[in-house]
């Protein structure tokens, strides 16, 4: 399984374009891996979320999205659900699709994701709806995309809809993809334990940094989640931990936060990071 983090920042990116905080000022000077575009991730040939920065992300990471035919969404926040690019994919003149098996874009999400897409499509007379097939997904009901098995879990995020995180399996390895979310709901932890799931890689939201968690996690919640997973025997001594979806809000620039979380055995993700499991 190949995990490619195309974007690893929070909703406003890092540096936030209108922000004058000290952290954003520093990142504008330092650039490099400190710069974080909005979060989305490619797992093999399946895209999880589609960020507002996907155009530049594909160029920077040498990704050809014309070969990607499956989009899986965690929730409907605009930094994850880029409806503009979906419309371009569904327009004949905007996206010339030559392979018959790629004509129809398979999209997976909750009701709010579907409604958000359909609301924008209704305003676009150039969209060809025969180019899209929507699959409604919900917590604890697995689905398959090719060789990958996705099991949606309930997240603690955007409380007016069923936001999701995912267990992703390819038959040899297992990934927990867990952003955006705060502290896991008990029913999610119970499901992991009851299903006897063991993770090779745990990818966690860390948007809050050194601040207290809310509907996002910070370093304290990351450590607590790892301990819960250890007690449940859901991880092993060889499990790798990645912290993702980092924001400027706590005032630490990414290279400073990377050193901090490194003491806990965590790796802070960066745009373009590729992990093979």
């Amino acid at each position: 399984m190949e995990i490619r983090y195309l974007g690893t920042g929070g909703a406003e990116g890092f540096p936030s374009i209108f922000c004058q905080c000290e952290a954003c000022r520093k990142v504008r000077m330092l650039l490099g891996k400190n710069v974080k575009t909005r979060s989305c991730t490619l797992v093999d040939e399946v895209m999880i979320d589609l960020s507002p920065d996907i155009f530049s992300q594909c160029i920077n990471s040498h990704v050809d999205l014309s070969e990607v035919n499956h989009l899986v969404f965690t929730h409907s926040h605009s930094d994850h659900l880029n409806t503009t690019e979906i419309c371009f994919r569904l327009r004949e003149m905007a996206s010339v699709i030559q392979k018959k098996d790629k004509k129809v874009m398979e999209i997976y999400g909750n009701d709010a994701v579907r409604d958000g897409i359909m609301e924008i499509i209704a305003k676009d007379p150039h969209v060809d709806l025969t180019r899209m097939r929507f699959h409604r997904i919900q917590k604890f009901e697995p689905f398959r995309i090719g060789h990958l098995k996705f099991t949606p879990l309930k997240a603690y995020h955007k409380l007016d809809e069923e936001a999701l995180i995912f267990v992703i399996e390819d038959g040899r390895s297992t990934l927990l993809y867990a952003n955006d979310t705060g502290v896991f709901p008990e029913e999610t932890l119970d499901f992991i334990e009851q299903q006897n799931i063991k993770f090779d890689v745990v990818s966690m939201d860390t948007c809050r940094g050194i601040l207290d968690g809310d509907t996002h996690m910070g370093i304290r919640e990351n450590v607590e989640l790892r301990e819960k997973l250890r007690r449940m025997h859901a991880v092993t001594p060889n499990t790798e931990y990645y912290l993702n979806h980092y924001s400027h809000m706590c005032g630490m620039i990414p290279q400073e936060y990377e050193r901090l979380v490194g003491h806990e055995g965590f790796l802070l993700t960066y745009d373009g990071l590729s992990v093979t499991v």
Side-chain angles (χ1 to χ4, degrees), residues 87-96 131:
C87 285
F88 284 140
R89 171 59 176 76
L90 304 181
R91 294 180 189 173
E92 179 65 36
M93 295 302 291
S95 298
V96 178
R131 282 182 162 222

Side-chain angles (χ1 to χ4, degrees), residues 4 12 37 52 61 78 91 99 124 126-128 132 135-136 166 169 171 177 199 243 246 255-256 266:
R4 299 185 68 181
E12 62 286 312
T37 57
S61 295
S78 61
R91 294 180 189 173
K99 297 180 181 178
D124 190 335
H126 304 292
V127 162
D128 178 0
M132 181 188 82
H135 305 264
R136 182 179 182 272
F166 297 100
E169 303 168 82
Y177 187 81
F199 299 111
L243 304 187
Y246 184 57
Q255 67 183 37
E256 294 169 340
F266 297 144

Side-chain angles (χ1 to χ4, degrees), residues 92 102 208-209 275:
E92 179 65 36
K102 296 288 195 297
R208 295 285 290 170
V275 177

Side-chain angles (χ1 to χ4, degrees), residues 1-142:
M1 187 189 303
E2 183 181 19
I3 308 159
R4 299 185 68 181
Y5 291 94
L6 303 187
T8 57
E12 62 286 312
F14 203 157
S16 177
I17 57 174
F18 297 113
C19 185
Q20 296 181 336
C21 78
E22 187 61 26
C24 286
R25 290 178 187 271
K26 287 181 180 179
V27 168
R28 288 191 189 100
M29 291 186 294
L30 292 169
L31 300 178
K33 292 180 181 178
N34 288 290
V35 174
K36 292 185 169 296
T37 57
R38 273 66 72 90
S39 292
C40 62
T41 302
L42 192 60
V43 178
D44 288 344
E45 294 184 353
V46 178
M47 181 67 99
I48 304 178
D49 293 333
L50 194 68
S51 90
D53 303 311
I54 190 63
F55 178 84
S56 61
Q57 289 167 341
C58 288
I59 293 172
N60 294 337
S61 295
H62 307 286
V63 170
D64 181 2
L65 274 195
S66 72
E67 293 298 322
V68 174
N69 206 44
H70 299 270
L71 301 180
V72 176
F73 288 99
T74 56
H75 64 296
S76 67
H77 273 149
S78 61
D79 58 315
H80 296 262
L81 178 59
N82 183 342
T83 53
T84 298
E85 300 297 350
I86 291 174
C87 285
F88 284 140
R89 171 59 176 76
L90 304 181
R91 294 180 189 173
E92 179 65 36
M93 295 302 291
S95 298
V96 178
I97 308 298
Q98 296 176 336
K99 297 180 181 178
K100 288 185 178 180
D101 64 337
K102 296 288 195 297
K103 284 288 186 182
V104 178
M105 173 64 75
E106 309 286 349
I107 300 178
Y108 305 76
N110 62 22
D111 290 338
V113 168
R114 179 198 59 208
D115 293 346
I117 294 171
M118 296 309 297
E119 180 182 355
I120 299 302
I121 284 177
K123 301 174 183 178
D124 190 335
H126 304 292
V127 162
D128 178 0
L129 273 177
T130 66
R131 282 182 162 222
M132 181 188 82
R133 183 159 43 235
F134 188 85
H135 305 264
R136 182 179 182 272
I137 60 176
Q138 53 190 345
K139 62 183 180 181
F140 311 131
E141 294 190 4

